[in-house]
Amino acid sequence: MVKAELKYRVLYSHTDVMGIANNERYLEYFEAGRNELMRSRGFPYTELEKLKIGLPLIEAKIKYIAGAKYDDELRITAEMGKMQGVRLTINYKIFVGEKLIAEGYTEHAFVKLGSLKPVRPPEEFINIFK
Amino acid sequence: MVKAELKYRVLYSHTDVMGIANNERYLEYFEAGRNELMRSRGFPYTELEKLKIGLPLIEAKIKYIAGAKYDDELRITAEMGKMQGVRLTINYKIFVGEKLIAEGYTEHAFVKLGSLKPVRPPEEFINIFK
Amino acid sequence: MVKAELKYRVLYSHTDVMGIANNERYLEYFEAGRNELMRSRGFPYTELEKLKIGLPLIEAKIKYIAGAKYDDELRITAEMGKMQGVRLTINYKIFVGEKLIAEGYTEHAFVKLGSLKPVRPPEEFINIFK
Amino acid sequence: MVKAELKYRVLYSHTDVMGIANNERYLEYFEAGRNELMRSRGFPYTELEKLKIGLPLIEAKIKYIAGAKYDDELRITAEMGKMQGVRLTINYKIFVGEKLIAEGYTEHAFVKLGSLKPVRPPEEFINIFK
């Protein structure tokens, strides 16, 4: 299981009138988890960039279970899911303390930076994360 | 069919290194469409707030089909979906010109502002949007 | 006087717990005004990009006078200020109705995209905006 | 000298087409520093909220010296400045490694949450931070 965990603080600027973190920010929390997942295996996302490869999202789903409040310390877990051809899925859970407040996934395509055309993932990436 | 359409400009601050609008912003584009949908029927979201009712997201799904570039004028459509009990679904499509670049939905729960406890939607809301 | 005006809606995602637009968003409102200013003279920012020139901020100042609430329609004015060498200042005012709620400026440097090294502004830009 | 320091990672969603963190995000970096400053003295911002007091910005200035790139680990310092009547200034510096990439300040007013009317800062706050 390729998995990582990150602590992340809810800032005031993340919140909205309803008094909880705005729905939009959860995709940023997922990104923070994703970054940590790659870094934790010695292959940070910047390594992909050096190979002129990007990983744009092709799909995202978020299930909002409970609100995150200003100054909550989120615990974000990110776990590699299915990797097939040029596609990759990553699964996330967000906790406040032991309480699960959100979960979801992002699906990505490996693309060439610039043209954004699909490319095969680098061998090294497959070896590490599959 | 309860549906509305909105033009929305991609700002520089929406983009990321990859040269396209960052995935996180699409939930903001959906929100802009949702606002317009409610306003277009004479029942803007601020009317809900006057009744001390909020509509937080309980689920969101986004399918990213093609990138939106800086300064693109997005055409966002929002359409009321299923409304059942305290739950409401809204469907979105985002176009650049005639090209569909993203689609998805948000599912919401009617809640009392403050406690965030579920409440029945106001009669007026049901009459207008169902 | 080279000046333009834009209407801009405060979204829910712009606000924070305090019930007003978060301070961070005002730089986005300034950007929206700046874009409009350039477009209004037939020289949108994308024209600069075609010339491989960027206009990153080197300084920004914002005076917050009154809060903007969710769904307020902002009226943003942007006006060209001093242009000297590779530097350019733009001045902004934000109104809700007739009430001035914020003002400020951004100072920019003309740079070569990629290296981000300073470059002279294009003649056409100077002719239009000076 | 009342001062604190925080490490903060530049996410992909912070960046823009120019390849560096978007100017708007620096106010978020300042906020992260400000939060840490208050927390570091045992009086986090949430304590103010319990007293129904807010600290909205009345002015902000940012000097952008060099770009922050994706995945840079920022070192943000926040230092209490002048505190006079209902006003408070906080000064910030942002470093990447030893290189200063931005500096600025935010000026705040103590206000009653809800009405946003000015109020005297709590004695405890003055004792700790002045």
Side-chain angles (χ1 to χ4, degrees), chain A residues 8-14 25 28-29 31-32 35-36 39 44-46 49 54 70-71 113, chain D residues 8-14 25 28-29 31-32 35-36 39 44-46 49 54 70-71 113:
Chain A
Y8 204 78
R9 181 78 64 177
V10 177
L11 292 180
Y12 214 82
S13 52
H14 296 189
R25 290 284 179 165
E28 196 170 313
Y29 302 153
E31 194 218 316
N35 280 1
E36 185 55 27
R39 184 187 321 284
Y45 188 78
T46 47
E49 288 191 311
Y70 164 62
D71 211 42
L113 287 179
Chain D
Y8 204 79
R9 182 78 65 178
V10 177
L11 292 179
Y12 214 81
S13 52
H14 296 189
R25 289 284 178 164
E28 196 170 312
Y29 302 153
E31 193 218 315
N35 280 2
E36 186 54 28
R39 184 187 320 283
Y45 187 78
T46 47
E49 287 192 311
Y70 164 63
D71 211 43
L113 288 179

Side-chain angles (χ1 to χ4, degrees), chain A residues 27 56-61 87-90 105-109, chain B residues 61-65 103:
Chain A
L27 287 172
L57 274 73
I58 55 177
E59 196 170 292
K61 187 172 179 181
R87 297 192 171 201
L88 167 69
T89 302
I90 301 175
Y105 67 83
T106 55
E107 194 183 346
H108 302 257
Chain B
K61 187 172 177 180
I62 309 148
K63 202 174 159 188
Y64 304 89
I65 299 163
E103 60 185 341

